[in-house]
Amino acid sequence: MIAVQNYKSSVRNKRQLWQKVQWGVLLTLMVLIYGSHAPLISVTKVNGLVPFNASSCVILIESAKLLISLITLVLTDGAAALRAPPSLLLVAPYAIPAVLYALNNNLVVHMQAYMDPSSFQVLSNLKIASTALLYSLCLSKTLRKGQWVALGLLMCAGVCQSYTSLDTEGGEADGSSLYITVWGLLLVFVYCSVSGLAAVYTEKILKSQKLPLSLQNLYLYVFGVVINGMLLLPALATESSFLDGFSSAVWAIVIGQTANGLLMSVVLKHGSGITRLFVISCSMLVNALLSWAFLGLQLSLFFLLPVSLVGLAAYLYYR
């Protein structure tokens, strides 16, 4: 009897270890993809401008995620779920995240008229606070005081990391001065609130419906393709080609963001939106290191502060 119990305990420990390894690999891969996104965009620039249509890039990413979700569903014997048309009440909730993400993608563009990029970079870290508050309220999750402190440290780490890239020299003539209008502050509030709501709502529907993740992804990305396709049509009217300006670096962005979107759904289904915040914060550090290694960004000892804050935040939250 004791031998049987020891065997079961050994099997359980090995399973738990294997799950931790899987999560470690998944989160590390996500951090690397997130962190490489901005440097890759910098590599694609020609004379300081992005040469490709961002809407084309987004629709390719959404289409790739949709196709992979469909293939995964078929290969995992989930194709039976497609034989009967799903009910509207089942599918309709998946349109909301697509609308929210599309709204934020457009907000990012319009916000630039009311603030400088550096101010946006710093203030966008407020989405950590908005996501945490909505996570606690909408999902009825009770966070310990130490976890709230950890999230506060995580937000401070984001601000510190953003501060290292601020260009406070120069004047308004060259567009490098720091400024933000009242409309800019309002849009930042809306942007951070929508960002948090999109993440929390997506987590809620993924966990509340007992469906295969590949099928849920299929519903999500169908709406993503439709909504982003509608936004792409006006841009195509003024563009000479759907793939104008695409290079190997742009295709790397498409592949990376496709993988990241699918991996993020795994995190939201089996983990939490808070884990997503830690991934994003860690990716900022990877972003800085890659920019230092390949783009000549100058790092100072101040860089160690956000690194330390992220590490301390992770310790306090997950201990």
Side-chain angles (χ1 to χ4, degrees), residues 31-40 43 283-297 299 303:
V31 168
L32 292 175
I33 294 173
Y34 259 115
S36 63
H37 183 60
L40 278 173
V43 169
S283 71
M284 291 189 300
L285 307 179
V286 173
N287 180 1
L289 289 173
L290 290 175
S291 298
W292 167 74
F294 299 105
L295 301 176
L297 176 70
L299 295 180
F303 176 70

Side-chain angles (χ1 to χ4, degrees), residues 118-277:
S118 295
S119 294
F120 167 73
Q121 189 177 359
V122 172
L123 293 173
S124 64
N125 289 287
L126 292 173
K127 65 187 175 187
I128 294 176
S130 64
T131 301
L133 287 171
L134 290 168
Y135 177 81
S136 179
L137 294 173
C138 299
L139 299 182
S140 301
K141 300 289 185 179
T142 302
L143 300 178
R144 304 187 312 270
K145 289 182 179 179
Q147 290 179 313
W148 282 111
V149 171
L151 293 172
L153 290 174
L154 200 64
M155 189 165 63
C156 290
V159 172
C160 290
Q161 175 55 28
S162 300
Y163 178 78
T164 62
S165 64
L166 289 182
D167 180 9
T168 57
E169 298 180 0
E172 292 187 16
D174 60 8
S176 62
S177 61
L178 302 180
Y179 73 95
I180 183 168
T181 66
V182 174
W183 272 111
L185 287 173
L186 178 61
L187 290 176
V188 165
F189 174 78
V190 173
Y191 169 81
C192 292
S193 299
V194 171
S195 177
L197 181 61
V200 170
Y201 183 84
T202 303
E203 179 177 352
K204 184 176 180 65
I205 60 172
L206 289 179
K207 288 180 175 177
S208 62
Q209 295 186 358
K210 305 303 180 183
L211 297 173
L213 179 57
S214 55
L215 180 60
Q216 291 179 304
N217 280 339
L218 191 68
Y219 295 153
L220 278 171
Y221 301 135
V222 162
F223 286 110
V225 169
V226 171
I227 292 174
N228 285 285
M230 292 170 63
L231 295 175
L232 176 64
L233 290 177
L236 286 179
T238 59
E239 297 287 338
S240 58
S241 174
F242 179 78
L243 297 178
D244 262 4
F246 271 61
S247 63
S248 56
V250 180
W251 286 111
I253 291 173
V254 171
I255 293 170
Q257 294 307 302
T258 298
N260 225 22
L262 294 169
L263 293 176
M264 184 58 74
S265 66
V266 176
V267 171
L268 294 177
K269 176 80 169 179
H270 303 291
S272 74
I274 302 299
T275 302
R276 168 181 170 269
L277 296 179

Side-chain angles (χ1 to χ4, degrees), residues 73-114:
L73 185 65
V74 172
L75 294 180
T76 54
D77 297 326
L82 299 175
R83 292 172 186 168
S87 67
L88 181 61
L89 290 178
L90 180 71
V91 178
Y94 292 90
I96 296 177
V99 172
L100 292 175
Y101 285 123
L103 173 61
N104 255 17
N105 288 338
N106 283 276
L107 268 178
V108 170
V109 176
H110 293 296
M111 287 165 66
Q112 307 307 316
Y114 302 100

